[in-house]
Amino acid sequence: MIKFFRKIRQKLLSENKFSKYLIYAIGEIILVVIGILIALGINNYNNKHLNKEEEQAILKSLNFEFRKNKKDVENVLSDYQDYLTSTKLLINLVGEKNEVLSSHNTDSLIERSISYYDYSPSQNVLSDLLSSGKLKLIRSDSLRLKLFQWSSLMNEKREDWDTLDDFLQNMFMPYLTKNASLKNIDSYGFLKWKEKSKLNPKTEQMFSDIEFENNLDNHAWSLTNYMITLENLNNTLDKIIEETSISK
């Protein structure tokens, strides 16, 4: 084809038909430009098609990951409701007489109150999107915003966890170490001691101590604060799952 066009140009020049040659040259340039534009259009179409396919794969992976996270956070919230219930039962027993206290297994309630754990959702897909820059392949501004909200809430969750765990380790546990038998408490946890402490600790005395009541109140506050953040995460999970379930 190029050889054919070259022969036409040479013929026009040899016949001294410069005006016709000029028109021809302009026409040839236009054809080249059109060819380039067509090639670019095809390339853009192919890129858009590939990007759309990759976006669909990303949405599918996000949906799978966040569905698992939702199942996990609901289990964690259920456990935390038990921790808070046990803490409230303990605080309601403060100031009661010994005969009332003896009708409750206070060591078991304490163990249940402090046996909490941190919620650690999977974030492999989201982390890969952020580190690789592929988040821009998601065309939905709303979905991208919710993913950023999720990351922000995760930072808040870590702060609330630190508050909860710091209080337990630095205030509540030292108090229990001095005033109760950790062996008796741990017998209802994973240590499952077969025998109670031989030192016969006077655990009931804690229920006449304002410091114990204050520790329980602070603990209940920290548990509730952490649960609020988990609820916010759960609500965001619902929105992300909904948006990633829709074919874009």
Side-chain angles (χ1 to χ4, degrees):
M1 182 64 71
I2 295 175
K3 188 175 180 180
F4 173 74
F5 286 142
R6 186 179 298 150
K7 286 182 176 180
I8 294 176
R9 290 199 302 269
Q10 290 174 348
K11 181 179 180 181
L12 291 172
L13 287 173
S14 64
E15 294 176 356
N16 199 21
K17 297 179 180 179
F18 182 76
S19 59
K20 291 185 178 181
Y21 170 79
L22 184 60
I23 294 173
Y24 169 79
I26 294 172
E28 187 175 336
I29 292 172
I30 292 173
L31 287 175
V32 171
V33 171
I34 292 173
I36 292 174
L37 291 176
I38 292 173
L40 287 174
I42 294 173
N43 185 59
N44 288 337
Y45 172 81
N46 290 336
N47 286 338
K48 286 182 180 180
H49 182 70
L50 291 174
N51 287 343
K52 187 174 182 179
E53 286 187 344
E54 189 167 5
E55 181 194 25
Q56 292 296 312
I58 289 171
L59 294 176
K60 183 177 180 180
S61 297
L62 282 172
N63 186 267
F64 179 82
E65 183 169 68
F66 279 86
R67 281 185 182 278
K68 180 182 181 302
N69 288 340
K70 179 171 177 59
K71 181 178 179 180
D72 291 342
V73 77
E74 288 179 343
N75 290 334
V76 175
L77 278 167
S78 177
D79 287 341
Y80 267 78
Q81 187 58 59
D82 287 344
Y83 307 149
L84 185 59
T85 297
S86 297
T87 304
K88 289 181 176 180
L89 285 173
L90 286 167
I91 204 169
N92 287 335
L93 289 173
V94 173
E96 292 288 353
K97 296 180 180 180
N98 286 348
E99 52 264 32
V100 176
L101 294 174
S102 62
S103 65
H104 294 81
N105 190 333
T106 55
D107 287 329
S108 176
L109 286 174
I110 293 173
E111 191 280 330
R112 186 57 179 166
S113 174
I114 64 176
S115 63
Y116 58 84
Y117 57 96
D118 190 18
Y119 170 58
S120 299
S122 170
Q123 298 195 93
N124 294 329
V125 176
L126 181 57
S127 295
D128 180 65
L129 288 178
L130 294 173
S131 63
S132 65
K134 291 184 178 181
L135 188 64
K136 63 184 179 183
L137 291 175
I138 297 177
R139 291 171 292 167
S140 170
D141 293 335
S142 175
L143 177 55
R144 289 199 304 271
L145 177 60
K146 290 177 177 64
L147 291 173
F148 284 123
Q149 288 174 340
W150 167 266
S151 297
S152 178
L153 284 170
M154 281 298 297
N155 290 332
E156 184 178 335
K157 191 267 313 177
R158 281 188 284 271
E159 292 177 2
D160 292 340
W161 165 258
D162 289 341
T163 298
L164 172 61
D165 198 50
D166 182 69
F167 169 74
L168 176 67
Q169 300 302 329
N170 295 313
M171 294 189 70
F172 202 7
M173 285 304 297
Y175 177 86
L176 292 175
T177 300
K178 291 180 180 179
N179 296 279
S181 167
L182 295 184
K183 181 180 180 182
N184 289 352
I185 292 171
D186 287 337
S187 66
Y188 296 98
F190 66 89
L191 289 178
K192 300 186 183 302
W193 297 114
K194 299 298 183 182
E195 296 181 357
K196 298 288 185 178
S197 172
K198 297 175 182 178
L199 299 178
N200 191 29
K202 302 297 182 181
T203 304
E204 65 276 2
Q205 293 179 358
M206 292 193 304
F207 290 85
S208 298
D209 186 359
I210 188 64
E211 186 178 354
F212 182 56
E213 184 180 61
N214 288 339
N215 276 323
L216 289 172
D217 182 79
N218 281 329
H219 187 55
W221 185 93
S222 298
L223 288 171
T224 303
N225 185 55
Y226 187 73
M227 289 176 67
I228 290 172
T229 302
L230 293 184
E231 288 285 3
N232 290 334
L233 282 170
N234 194 28
N235 291 335
T236 303
L237 278 167
D238 285 335
K239 295 174 183 178
I240 292 174
I241 290 170
E242 180 182 3
E243 289 214 34
T244 55
S245 297
I246 300 174
S247 179
K248 303 294 182 181

